[in-house]
Amino acid sequence: MGQGTEFGLVDLEDVETPGDEWEEIDVSETEADRIARKRDRKFEQFEERIKDADQFKVEQSVFDDATLAALYKLVQDGYVEAFGGPLSTGKEANVYLAQGDDREVAVKIYRINASNFRQMRDYLEGDPRFEGLGGKKKDVVLAWTKKELANLERAKAAGVRVPEPIATERNVLVMEYIGTEDGRAKRLGEVHIENPQTAYEVMREYMRRLYSAGLIHGDLSEYNVVFDAREGQLVIIDLGQAVTVHHPNSREFLERDCRNVASFFSRQGLEVSEDDLLEFVTDPEPDPSRS
């Protein structure tokens, strides 16, 4: 049994290394943009069906023509077969339940007119994957979406339990649905933790694996971790803002993550400190070229 499996973690011995260093992320025009311009009859029929669906009637600001074209392309490629209702609504993105080719999936749609546009730039600037990114709001949001996909892939390769990334098109991300027929998985702050010590050890191990792979979550707290009741595992979510260790503010973000996690588990009755957690997470030094 590999390291960490006693806590229900991904076995590092079965994890493939990420391979090459960080690849530059392309935010140039996608097939969805070309579909939106052409607007053939099949696309217009798809657009009409979506806009007539009850669960989308109040979400018109999310579904501009290019976003609908991105959804249409994902349907054409077989990643999505049918759409369900909303799972969560936020300032920057909405998440919807959908049916994939053989399972339920979560479809995350980032708004192009995201209210935290400047905050997004703070996380992107300094990330080597986004050097030369222009100032257009659309480009920032598209980069953010692809960044979340890349971060999920890197975290998964590092042995961290995250939603499995499936596909992305423009400002739409398709990933594994974490939940049951009763609804989405509950956030860590929404459940009673029977064994806080074990949960804390899992969390700090996740954080160290991320750091060892060159990633820092940047917004980690009990609100960005869910409990997968099917597997009995903690799952880290919302990695859109995660930065590489090369980011100029990476240390500040890591210290904040440690402070949030230590504070939460202190409230659960554990004697933990952010300094001890930081020391554990940062040993050994990160090597972004491996998991």
Side-chain angles (χ1 to χ4, degrees), residues 104-115:
E104 289 182 317
V105 296
V107 178
K108 189 171 190 176
I109 303 175
Y110 279 101
R111 294 186 181 88
I112 296 300
N113 59 344
S115 58

Side-chain angles (χ1 to χ4, degrees), residues 55-56 82-86 96-99:
Q55 63 266 36
F56 295 134
F83 291 94
Y96 297 89
L97 183 64
Q99 181 63 45

